[in-house]
Structures are given as C-alpha cells and as structure tokens.
Amino acid sequence: MLTQDRLWSEAVILEGGKNRVLRVQSTRDAFLCLKNHWPIADGDAKRDAFTACERVIEGNDEPDSARSAFIRAAEEAKFSVHSWTG
C-alpha cells in the first residue's frame, strides 16, 4: 500500500519533548509517523489522519487533505506545529 508517495505543498515541522523535531513532507511520511512514532495510542484526529493518508495513497484525494488532517492529529498529540512559511 505504501509504494505510492504523495508530496505535500509544504513540509510540517513538529516539535516534541526532549528536543525532538520531526520534518514530515509527504503522505507516506505522515502515515508511518502516525503508525510508528506517535506519542498517543488513539484519538479522533489520529484516526481521521490515518483515513486521510490512506485515501491519498490510494489516489482518492489530494495530498494536502492528508496534510491538514495530520496537522490536526499533531495538535491533538500536543506537538508544537510549524511550517517554513509560518
């Protein structure tokens, strides 16, 4: 399923505890981050972001819809969210 990657119009920068900074720039990056490195096990925004990523990877939606859902999930997980342009 993860063979097709879809780049976003702009990367999302996440700051977490212990001076961790993650740069997420594509739907595949976001999917793997949510699956393998997320600080909370469950949440409405996390589930929505998974669904959005799957839709984009399957070619049923635009990459920035996954980006928006991923940002909401990051806020739910209490990350500090940034982008290059503000």
Side-chain angles (χ1 to χ4, degrees), residues 17-51:
K18 299 181 183 177
N19 295 324
R20 285 188 61 182
V21 177
L22 298 170
R23 181 175 185 264
V24 181
Q25 63 185 11
S26 71
T27 303
R28 182 177 184 274
D29 287 352
F31 185 89
L32 293 173
C33 186
L34 288 163
K35 182 179 178 188
N36 299 320
H37 305 290
W38 214 243
I40 61 172
D42 195 26
D44 291 339
K46 181 182 179 183
R47 282 191 302 277
D48 291 346
F50 262 126
T51 300

Side-chain angles (χ1 to χ4, degrees), residues 4-81:
Q4 181 180 353
D5 200 0
R6 303 287 305 271
L7 293 176
W8 293 345
S9 61
E10 183 176 8
V12 174
I13 311 301
L14 304 180
E15 286 186 66
K18 299 181 183 177
N19 295 324
R20 285 188 61 182
V21 177
L22 298 170
R23 181 175 185 264
V24 181
Q25 63 185 11
S26 71
T27 303
R28 182 177 184 274
D29 287 352
F31 185 89
L32 293 173
C33 186
L34 288 163
K35 182 179 178 188
N36 299 320
H37 305 290
W38 214 243
I40 61 172
D42 195 26
D44 291 339
K46 181 182 179 183
R47 282 191 302 277
D48 291 346
F50 262 126
T51 300
C53 288
E54 288 173 341
R55 288 186 49 76
V56 171
I57 289 168
E58 292 168 355
N60 296 320
D61 211 343
E62 294 300 313
D64 282 336
S65 66
R67 183 181 184 275
S68 296
F70 181 75
I71 289 171
R72 288 189 296 277
E75 291 168 345
E76 175 183 70
K78 305 295 187 219
F79 280 103
S80 180
V81 181

